[in-house]
Amino acid sequence: MLGRFFKKPEDDMGGRVPPGQTLTSRFPVLTYGPTQHYAPQDVVVRVFGLAEEKTFTWADLLALPQTTLTYDIHCVTHWSKLDTSWTGVRVVDLMEHLKLDPAARYVMQHSVGGYTTNLSLEDFTRPENLLAHTFGGEPLAPEHGGPLRLVVPHLYFWKSAKWLTGLEFMAGDKPGFWERNGYHMRGDPFKEERYDDD
């Protein structure tokens, strides 16, 4: 299986491949629980917590500037996929429409099905992060988080929540689903922050 779908890089590809990762040309599907299926027009992202409460519908999100970015993604299960192309709303463009309490320092992502994962505000607001609806020029498939997911490419991919429904701004950090179950609170692939004892 490893030789057919995954390959160990001969080196770190100029610093692009984190330690312990193998390269794949596929897009493996890893999800806790069932894949969620719902129409794009049913997308609603609620902003709450230490922010002025606001909701963004699918139409609202499409009315914001749309950006296409290409970057590498890394899964905690040891695969990396290089040169992936995503289209959506940059987090920094979304933030222009939000009013945060000065005490806000962290963000909890909420998803259909009750999944959550945490980010620091610094990690959340990096310019490469997207609320993505398109992958490789095609609508994002449900098994990969479509119609809408967050993409945070500098962290392990569990930090890029599928089927996004909410952004809860918080003063203090707290664990989301996987973090409560032993995963690292931050998840930097280049530091191999896979588990809570790393």
Side-chain angles (χ1 to χ4, degrees), residues 64-83:
L64 295 175
Q66 304 295 302
T67 301
T68 299
L69 297 173
T70 298
Y71 31 59
D72 307 332
I73 56 176
H74 313 287
C75 184
V76 70
T77 59
H78 298 275
W79 60 260
S80 292
K81 184 173 176 63
L82 306 183
D83 297 317

Side-chain angles (χ1 to χ4, degrees), residues 32-185:
Y32 180 81
T35 294
Q36 303 293 330
H37 293 270
Y38 57 102
Q41 59 265 28
D42 294 330
V43 168
V44 177
V45 178
R46 176 185 172 218
V47 175
F48 63 106
L50 294 180
E52 182 178 286
E53 186 152 342
K54 192 168 187 177
T55 58
F56 292 86
T57 65
W58 182 252
D60 293 333
L61 292 168
L62 292 185
L64 295 175
Q66 304 295 302
T67 301
T68 299
L69 297 173
T70 298
Y71 31 59
D72 307 332
I73 56 176
H74 313 287
C75 184
V76 70
T77 59
H78 298 275
W79 60 260
S80 292
K81 184 173 176 63
L82 306 183
D83 297 317
T84 63
S85 176
W86 301 82
T87 302
V89 178
R90 292 196 313 158
V91 168
V92 291
D93 292 330
L94 182 76
M95 292 296 291
E96 292 183 4
H97 299 269
L98 305 186
K99 293 180 181 178
L100 266 58
D101 185 305
R105 293 289 181 272
Y106 295 89
V107 183
M108 185 69 74
Q109 302 170 63
H110 293 261
S111 299
V112 173
Y115 177 83
T116 56
T117 188
N118 64 312
L119 290 171
S120 70
L121 190 61
E122 181 180 7
D123 283 324
F124 177 67
T125 56
R126 286 172 58 133
E128 69 269 27
N129 296 347
L130 288 174
L131 279 72
H133 52 69
T134 299
F135 174 76
E138 299 291 335
L140 186 60
E143 60 267 25
H144 294 306
L148 186 76
R149 75 177 297 161
L150 192 66
V151 180
V152 182
H154 71 287
L155 299 178
Y156 283 123
F157 218 47
W158 93 80
K159 293 291 189 176
S160 298
K162 298 178 178 181
W163 313 303
L164 189 69
T165 61
L167 297 168
E168 178 187 3
F169 290 88
M170 310 177 297
D173 201 6
K174 63 181 182 180
F177 174 83
W178 283 115
E179 296 80 20
R180 291 193 304 272
N181 286 281
Y183 276 33
H184 198 276
M185 286 291 282

